[in-house]
Amino acid sequence: MGPNSAMKTLPLIPLDDVVVFPGMNLTLAIDPGAEEEVLLVPRSGDDFAAVGTVARVDEQVRLPGGGLATGFEGLHRGVAGAARTDLNGTLRIEVTPWEDPTDRDEEIRGLEREYRAIVEEILELRNAGDAIRAFLRSISEPGALADTAGYSPDLTHEQKVELLETLDVRERLTMAVALQRERLAELQVRSRIREDVQSGAEQQQREYFLRKQLESIRKELGEDDTSYADEYRRKIEESGMPDEVREQAERELGRLERMGDGSGESSMLRTYLDWLIAVPWGERSEERLDPLGAREVLDADHAGLEDVKERITEYIAVRRLRAERGVADDGGGKGSGAILTLIGPPGTGKTSIGESVARATGREFVRMSLGGVHDEAEIRGHRRTYIGALPGRLVRALRDAGTMNPVIMLDEVDKVGADWRGDPSSALLEVLDPAQNHSFRDHYLDVELDLSGVLFIATANVAETIPGPLLDRMEVVRFDGYTTEEKVAIARGYLWPRQLERNGLEAGEVEIADGVLRAIVTEYTREAGVRGLERELGKLLRKTATRIASGEVEGPVAIDAAEMRRALGRQRHFQEAAERTALPGVATGLSVTGAGGDVLFVETTSMDGMKGGDEFVLTGQLGDVMKESARIALSYVRGHADRLGIDHDALEGHEFHVHVPAGAIPKDGPSAGITITTALTSLLTGRPVKHTVGMTGEVTLQGRVLPIGGLKQKVLAAHAAGLTDVVIPERNRGDLEDVPAEVREAMTFHPVFTVDEVLEVALEPERVPAVA
């Protein structure tokens, strides 16, 4: 294959938006003069293509405006050479004519067959006429067959130029096959989409006609095709809806009737009406307004928890007086419900007491777990514009309860999150406000709901993560944990019988003494609640049940201390205050965490100062507030060294290190101020801290002791750890009333105003020799 004759010079006619292939005809509004042949060259980017089409000048016609239009017929390719302008101003170019070879090998034949097959499929998808198929079958030369791809309207100008510039027939045919294969794939996708759309439209049309036929058949049979509407009307009438809600329901039912049951929106309207009817508008539980009877129910279900029991009893008493004096709530009064928030460590019975409250008041009980909820729509519901929209959890809770005055427990309200979907805690502001919740509006139902009759009980482990405006609407009742004796009583009266039943044992089949229960509480658990205690009892009874089932023991089994240790393993918790505070520089402090109160030890030491080093090192994952308390403590000790009996040589040139175990647990807060001060003073005076003393309180640079929070939990932790003396701020003296009487009797409390009073109570009177 190659040039077919010698080079010739022809006039150059540039083409901007069209590419002419050999065999094509083109008419242009130009006058070529007396020329018989020209070179038609398409533009390629900012330049001309390297290959054009040699075209023969055909007949000319006169245009209506007086101009000439000339027809051109593509003959063969021509390779463009040098260009010049002649004396007449015509741009002429040297052209090397190129004729495609007619011979073909097996590969080219295979490409021809593939190309023809692809084009046939394209023509079929486009419903092309027989003329085009006949034209395609009339082409016998492989090069000319490849050039027919240039007729495709789907090819870009650049793709056509590239095809024209491909001189090798094999390469050109390969390119044409690839381009047409892409076109075929696009057409197949379009065809499939069109068929799917058409099929869906036909299906809808078919369903429409079938429904119309069904309506006609029902009329012929004398059946009322609007029976579903009458059914909805009956349910609406019987539901006890308020007038505004009934009007909304009837409007939506009218829309459903007008659009017919075959409309796509009818299912959404049916769902909406079903939800409106599902709300128990006129249903209210018959309350048991007996304060004494309610207290008996609460006492039977839970030991301790006096604060919440008293509050529920007060609530029932108030409701009884309102009923007796003619001001009974009918569901439309403001503030007739109650909103209690139970805050305390895990395992103290916050969640389980909700069911007891419902039982005591004769109401239905529904629990809503809010832990990890991030979407505001979980509370308020989704708007009906969204597909799959549903009401919020409150509407669903009322539906599940079947009454408008249930007990709804909002569990783990302190773990509600917020993200781009909204803030659920903000939606709860209206729900938990007695002045507003009588007109709560769910986004889905879009009607007012009266939640004033609901008794809301929220639970949380800590108050700090509850947003301030939400916490302000709550009546907080704090659960500060149980004493050792209360845990023993709970284990005896509640946990032990429940674990006997769960492990297939009968009452009286296994006995355990209170002393053994007390040992389990103090030596195997260290918690504010009783969840871990119940696990230990379950473990003990499982092992006992195994021995009974295997025939190892018979008859009633009495579990003593030795059997308890064999089943539960080595002791896990120890009273280590005496050992830890034996040397100067260690003091026992008290803290509060999300799991309840705890005892922590503050350790201090001093060493020769390093040049350029920090004179004060703090370790133990201390927060910023606790670090500031430590620096205040050191500054106070330095500033009052003479009065404290500290040798100045012990301060000058020394570096101090304060560590608060355990190092893996983060700690923060100002209440360790007097503990750090006491530990530093003990270190520098050589007087150990009394091992029976625990302390809590914030310290100032003037040596004053400021009040702290969580005193009850701290005192319970000190009692569990075996401490007998607790130093507290004077302004916390009133909080001692919250401490159980048995703990107050077992411990000695030292309210103080200043650090001097703390040191007088906490430090041993004499120095101890330093340990080498």
Side-chain angles (χ1 to χ4, degrees), residues 470-648:
L470 183 59
L471 188 63
D472 184 61
R473 287 164 167 78
M474 298 173 169
E475 180 179 348
V476 175
V477 178
R478 295 194 176 272
F479 283 34
D480 294 316
Y482 299 106
T483 65
T484 299
E485 294 307 316
E486 285 176 336
K487 290 180 180 180
V488 171
I490 292 171
R492 171 66 64 190
Y494 302 91
L495 307 183
W496 184 258
R498 185 161 63 197
Q499 287 299 320
L500 281 173
E501 180 183 357
R502 289 181 179 178
N503 289 281
L505 299 170
E506 298 178 355
E509 194 171 359
V510 181
E511 299 291 341
I512 188 170
D514 285 351
V516 179
L517 287 175
R518 190 174 292 104
I520 296 175
V521 170
T522 57
E523 297 177 12
Y524 291 88
T525 65
R526 185 65 58 85
E527 58 180 346
V530 293
R531 195 167 287 156
L533 173 59
E534 184 169 12
R535 281 195 291 268
E536 295 299 324
L537 294 178
K539 180 180 179 180
L540 179 61
L541 285 174
R542 285 195 304 273
K543 293 184 179 297
T544 304
T546 302
R547 295 175 61 199
I548 293 175
S550 62
E552 184 178 338
V553 293
E554 294 182 359
V557 177
I559 297 180
D560 55 14
E563 176 60 25
M564 179 265 293
R565 297 191 190 283
R566 188 190 70 82
L568 301 184
R570 60 181 178 80
Q571 181 178 344
R572 300 194 191 100
H573 299 282
F574 302 88
Q575 296 182 355
E576 52 184 348
E579 178 184 351
R580 297 286 290 271
T581 60
L583 295 177
V586 182
T588 306
L590 305 175
S591 65
V592 173
T593 67
D598 199 3
V599 172
L600 55 82
F601 296 95
V602 176
E603 302 176 347
T604 61
T605 188
S606 66
M607 62 207 82
D608 293 337
M610 295 181 291
K611 187 175 181 179
D614 190 355
E615 66 172 3
F616 201 33
V617 179
L618 301 169
T619 56
Q621 285 207 60
L622 309 186
D624 291 338
V625 176
M626 197 166 183
K627 289 179 179 179
E628 291 175 357
S629 296
R631 293 193 175 275
I632 290 172
L634 180 61
S635 297
Y636 175 81
V637 171
R638 285 183 179 276
H640 300 81
D642 292 335
R643 194 170 80 235
L644 298 175
I646 298 174
D647 189 351
H648 283 275

Side-chain angles (χ1 to χ4, degrees), residues 31-104:
D31 183 5
E35 300 292 341
E36 295 182 358
E37 291 182 348
V38 297
L39 183 67
L40 303 176
V41 181
R43 290 189 182 275
S44 178
D46 296 332
D47 205 349
F48 292 107
V51 176
T53 299
V54 176
R56 181 174 60 239
V57 178
D58 281 347
E59 60 181 12
Q60 293 182 329
V61 296
R62 181 69 60 180
L63 297 175
L68 286 176
T70 305
F72 299 92
E73 179 186 359
L75 301 176
H76 53 75
R77 283 173 171 76
V79 180
R84 59 182 175 80
T85 304
D86 62 11
L87 295 177
N88 296 325
T90 302
L91 182 62
R92 307 183 75 84
I93 189 168
E94 295 179 352
V95 180
T96 303
W98 187 278
E99 292 283 356
D100 292 331
T102 58
D103 57 326
R104 54 172 66 84

Side-chain angles (χ1 to χ4, degrees), residues 205 257 334 439 441 501 575 594:
Q205 190 174 20
E257 287 183 293
K334 298 182 181 179
S439 58
R441 187 175 289 269
E501 180 183 357
Q575 296 182 355

Side-chain angles (χ1 to χ4, degrees), residues 51 68 102 104 208 285 330 352 355 368 447 462 475 527 551 674:
V51 176
L68 286 176
T102 58
R104 54 172 66 84
Y208 175 77
S285 298
D330 60 358
S352 60
E355 297 185 40
M368 288 173 49
V447 294
V462 293
E475 180 179 348
E527 58 180 346
I674 64 172

Side-chain angles (χ1 to χ4, degrees), residues 24 115 119 135-136 139 143-152 163 180:
M24 287 186 181
Y115 181 82
V119 174
F135 167 72
L136 185 67
I139 299 174
L145 183 64
D147 287 342
T148 58
Y151 288 95
S152 174
L163 188 65
Q180 296 292 36

